[in-house]
Amino acid sequence: MSTSARKTKINARQLAVELVAMIDEAGSVVAAIAYFRAHRRLPHSEFADRVLPKAASMLIMRHSFADAYALINHGLLDDPRNAHLLTVRGKLQWKQGDLDGAQATYESIPTHVPARNSLARLVQERGDISRAQLLYEETLLMTNENNVIALNGLAKILLGQGGPKANARAQELLEHSLELKWQDNDARDIAQSAGLELDLPMDAGRTPHI
């Protein structure tokens, strides 16, 4: 990831924190958004694709579901097909136990990788392991096997199936996952719980993935 991309991501998070604070102070999502947009003249795509979804996720984490819904719906009024906002709406529906609603939301944006990964986890939780496996496999094809969540998710499914071939493939996936992202990666825990010993270079994790 380039330095400029990292800065953009960090700034979006900071702006989301600022927006949530404004919602708390104003007691109104609509008023807070109006004030925020008046003082932070961001491009619409930056606001809708980055700031709103992050702010909504923060509200979900603290169980401020009504405000999260209002924030998401406000953004969807301008852009009903915004995949970033729809993905967070699916997360909110799932969090509140509306599994059918969450699944339908994720399925409405089939080419958006974060939504596909969430859909895979959801259908797996609902017992449809074969579909979850297919979703992860398709996502890896879409991303040239460069998606850590799909790599780890498919590896867990394969380890659950067992057998030398499935275990070998799972080990390859987990090793590649750690090559892509060394820090904050569940791949080590997945391997450890399955008794796998990963074969990684001696200098793995010393150079950040670009």
Side-chain angles (χ1 to χ4, degrees):
M1 183 182 293
S2 68
T3 301
S4 61
R6 284 196 296 268
K7 286 182 179 178
T8 300
K9 189 173 183 179
I10 292 170
N11 288 341
R13 179 173 180 79
Q14 290 171 343
L15 291 170
V17 170
E18 185 178 321
L19 176 56
V20 170
M22 289 180 182
I23 292 171
D24 290 339
E25 183 175 351
S28 164
V29 168
V30 173
I33 289 175
Y35 185 86
F36 182 92
R37 295 306 303 272
H39 290 80
R40 294 288 190 181
R41 299 190 179 280
L42 298 175
H44 177 73
S45 60
E46 181 79 7
F47 181 67
D49 295 351
R50 293 177 178 271
V51 178
L52 280 183
K54 289 181 185 296
S57 292
M58 292 173 186
L59 291 168
I60 293 169
M61 287 181 64
R62 70 181 201 186
H63 290 198
S64 297
F65 297 141
D67 284 343
Y69 261 121
L71 198 63
I72 294 165
N73 290 338
H74 183 92
L76 291 174
L77 284 175
D78 292 330
D79 186 3
R81 299 295 303 163
N82 186 294
H84 304 278
L85 289 169
L86 287 171
T87 300
V88 181
R89 186 173 77 177
K91 177 181 179 180
L92 177 54
Q93 291 169 312
W94 189 352
K95 188 77 172 178
Q96 293 191 292
D98 182 8
L99 302 188
D100 289 338
Q103 184 166 332
T105 297
Y106 292 141
E107 288 173 341
S108 72
I109 39 176
T111 61
H112 188 59
V113 170
R116 290 181 63 85
N117 284 332
S118 294
L119 177 60
R121 290 195 298 268
L122 177 57
V123 298
Q124 184 175 359
E125 182 177 293
R126 304 186 83 178
D128 195 345
I129 308 300
S130 60
R131 188 181 180 196
Q133 179 173 347
L134 179 61
L135 284 164
Y136 283 134
E137 289 172 343
E138 290 175 347
T139 296
L140 291 177
L141 287 174
M142 290 169 59
T143 61
N144 197 26
E145 294 206 349
N146 285 328
N147 186 270
V148 168
I149 293 175
L151 287 165
N152 293 351
L154 180 55
K156 288 179 71 173
I157 290 175
L158 292 173
L159 289 170
Q161 295 172 356
K165 186 175 180 180
N167 288 346
R169 175 58 174 154
Q171 181 168 341
E172 291 176 359
L173 295 170
L174 294 174
E175 289 170 353
H176 183 43
S177 173
L178 285 167
E179 289 172 357
L180 293 174
K181 184 183 179 186
W182 183 255
Q183 301 293 333
D184 300 322
N185 190 333
D186 293 334
R188 293 183 199 78
D189 293 336
I190 296 169
Q192 185 176 10
S193 64
L196 286 182
E197 186 174 342
L198 300 181
D199 182 16
L200 296 167
M202 292 294 293
D203 61 348
R206 294 181 184 174
T207 303
H209 178 66
I210 304 300

